[in-house]
Amino acid sequence: MIPRGTIRVPGDKSISHRALMLGALAEGTGQIRGILQSADVHSTAHVLRTLGVQVEPLGEVTHVTGRGLRGLLAPSTSLQCGNSGTTTRLMSGIVAGHSFSARFEGDESLSRRPMQRIAKPLTQMGATFTFDHGDGLPMTIHGRDLLPIHWDSPTASAQIKSAILLAGLVAQVPVSVTEPERSRDHTERMLASLGAEVMVDGTTVSLPVVHRLSPMNVTVPGDPSSAAFFAALAALAPDAELRLTNVSLNPTRIGFFNVLQRMGARVQYEDQDQCAGEPIGTIIPSGGTIRGVQIGGEEIPTLVDELPMLACLATRAEGETVIHGAAELRVKESDRIATVVQNLRTLGATAEELPDGMRITGNDAPLRGRVTTHGDHRIAMAFAILGALPGNQIEIDDPACVEVSYPNFWSDLARVTT
């Protein structure tokens, strides 16, 4: 099997969410081209419609008519967030700065994910949160005029940072966030492209008072997290001929490709350009002798969503791969540390669970068995790449869960491997 072809991976999920939200807060009608038409992004569109925003059905070109910074309407029903943590946490910041209450609900998986991490700073700003039980959904936010804040975040989290920035934006108060390491910066880049004055000093981001946002006019680049699956496939095939076009090359998102090179694969970047403050380009990955590596520290926020794929890749590497400093994986769509390690062992790989990561020892023995995804789209796609390799026989228990981020994943995989 030699993967060949050109893939235009779907629009970046993080940018798609933010384009809808900031378009809703702008003044006037804007357009979003190439938005990701996935379940999570549909959740954001649905929540915004519930709050009175005119959002066209998602398509190749999607128009959003903004209501201004504080123009959202009190919802008459709960805000249904589906499986989307980004929808929940970023919209929490927006709702907190409006003078109404809103109840957030989600599916079983989302309801288990922690929300106190955004409730704490937003409560300090003046909003009130009530939880039906524990730390997850359902939760109700009672918004109000908010206070300025500087927040020292205990973890590098773009969702925490963005919730605070968006709360300050709609409340029209200055806010700043300091992180231990720099997290993905799509919110800052998009705000700046719409006319906001965003200041970045190391790992501190500050947003002064913003009076209005210009209408959204953006083309969403391809998602590097989606491109990572096919780059991993190419890395394991020395004669691969894959081109991944129009992908976001945001420095806070390409940690996976840096590690891929460190493991011995080749990664070239061509056709580099800029779009709405985001660097974009074509990624050309190809194989080599893949070696085990250490993955941790400040690079974790730049590849946290790609760690399941790196763990699967490590099973085919020479030597040992150790991932550490990634405790955040335990509160994703599934406990991705436990889920990845359990599935690797089921297939016959050598893997060990660590408190904040995992240890994998590579070999070339065939991998066979059934993968339990727990409905986690990234688990399904990572193990599907392993299953595409000659000699492996891997069954995915819930293939449809990829709809969350990459609806055409299975057809793209079939096209480049047959």
Side-chain angles (χ1 to χ4, degrees):
M1 184 275 301
I2 300 176
R4 290 191 174 97
T6 298
I7 295 178
R8 168 63 162 93
V9 296
D12 186 88
K13 186 153 73 80
S14 296
I15 295 174
S16 294
H17 283 298
R18 288 158 173 80
L20 286 172
M21 293 178 195
L22 292 179
L25 299 174
E27 295 181 4
T29 299
Q31 63 178 9
I32 307 166
R33 293 175 297 278
I35 196 168
L36 173 63
Q37 298 175 51
S38 75
D40 274 11
V41 180
H42 278 290
S43 292
T44 290
H46 177 74
V47 165
L48 290 170
R49 293 183 189 112
T50 305
L51 294 169
V53 182
Q54 183 179 333
V55 180
E56 285 185 347
L58 303 187
E60 189 54 37
V61 179
T62 302
H63 292 92
V64 179
T65 301
R67 300 189 62 90
L69 293 179
R70 303 198 73 178
L72 300 186
L73 304 179
S76 58
T77 62
S78 297
L79 304 181
Q80 297 295 329
C81 300
N83 185 247
S84 179
T86 303
T87 303
T88 308
R89 295 188 178 119
L90 270 60
M91 286 303 306
S92 292
I94 292 171
V95 166
H98 282 79
S99 297
F100 56 68
S101 298
R103 178 180 169 87
F104 289 74
E105 296 180 353
D107 67 10
E108 183 180 355
S109 171
L110 180 60
S111 297
R112 293 193 300 266
R113 298 177 68 181
M115 296 298 158
Q116 282 289 351
R117 52 179 52 191
I118 51 104
K120 289 178 180 177
L122 296 177
T123 297
Q124 187 169 312
M125 293 179 74
T128 303
F129 284 68
T130 56
F131 293 88
D132 283 20
H133 49 78
D135 184 22
L137 302 186
M139 73 177 180
T140 301
I141 301 177
H142 308 278
R144 53 158 289 179
D145 292 335
L146 300 178
L147 303 172
I149 192 174
H150 172 76
W151 186 255
D152 286 306
S153 182
T155 59
S157 167
Q159 292 183 355
I160 297 173
K161 176 177 63 177
S162 296
I164 296 168
L165 292 176
L166 293 172
L169 174 70
V170 299
Q172 297 182 289
V173 296
V175 294
S176 60
V177 182
T178 298
E179 301 178 286
E181 295 94 25
R182 191 179 181 194
S183 64
R184 59 182 64 178
D185 63 356
H186 299 301
T187 302
E188 300 96 294
R189 288 174 180 266
M190 193 170 289
L191 281 168
S193 76
L194 297 178
E197 181 184 358
V198 182
M199 293 171 285
V200 180
D201 181 11
T203 61
T204 297
V205 177
S206 301
L207 181 67
V209 173
V210 177
H211 297 289
R212 69 181 297 274
L213 291 180
S214 302
M216 175 68 60
N217 187 352
V218 65
T219 298
V220 179
D223 195 323
S225 296
S226 296
F229 298 111
F230 290 97
L233 180 66
L236 294 168
D239 297 319
E241 297 177 5
L242 278 183
R243 294 176 63 87
L244 309 171
T245 61
N246 198 43
V247 179
S248 170
L249 301 181
N250 185 310
T252 65
R253 294 290 304 283
I254 59 172
F256 171 87
F257 300 98
N258 297 333
V259 172
L260 204 60
Q261 290 176 300
R262 207 159 75 231
M263 295 180 82
R266 295 183 296 277
V267 180
Q268 295 176 272
Y269 301 106
E270 294 185 354
D271 308 322
Q272 296 188 50
D273 203 348
Q274 290 276 328
C275 181
E278 293 279 345
I280 61 173
T282 294
I283 302 173
I284 305 173
S286 55
T289 301
I290 304 300
R291 301 177 296 272
V293 294
Q294 298 277 326
I295 304 170
E298 63 183 17
E299 68 186 345
I300 292 295
T302 71
L303 48 65
V304 66
D305 286 337
E306 294 76 66
L307 286 173
M309 186 67 258
L310 284 169
C312 288
L313 186 65
T315 66
R316 308 290 86 179
E318 295 181 357
E320 183 179 85
T321 295
V322 179
I323 299 168
H324 55 88
E328 181 72 11
L329 287 179
R330 294 202 180 273
V331 291
K332 291 290 187 177
E333 284 85 336
S334 65
D335 179 340
R336 286 183 176 161
I337 293 174
T339 299
V340 168
V341 169
Q342 289 166 6
N343 279 306
L344 288 177
R345 288 174 172 171
T346 296
L347 299 178
T350 302
E352 176 187 353
E353 188 174 333
L354 305 176
D356 63 347
M358 57 194 100
R359 179 182 288 109
I360 303 103
T361 302
N363 59 58
D364 57 3
L367 300 175
R368 297 187 174 96
R370 180 178 171 87
V371 169
T372 302
T373 62
H374 299 286
D376 190 326
H377 55 126
R378 300 202 191 278
I379 299 296
M381 290 185 281
F383 281 91
I385 295 301
L386 272 186
L389 300 178
N392 292 345
Q393 297 177 11
I394 297 173
E395 180 187 357
I396 308 298
D397 74 333
D398 183 10
C401 69
V402 304
E403 295 283 338
V404 165
S405 64
Y406 197 157
N408 294 328
F409 172 77
W410 296 109
S411 58
D412 281 351
L413 180 60
R415 179 166 57 83
V416 300
T417 55
T418 56

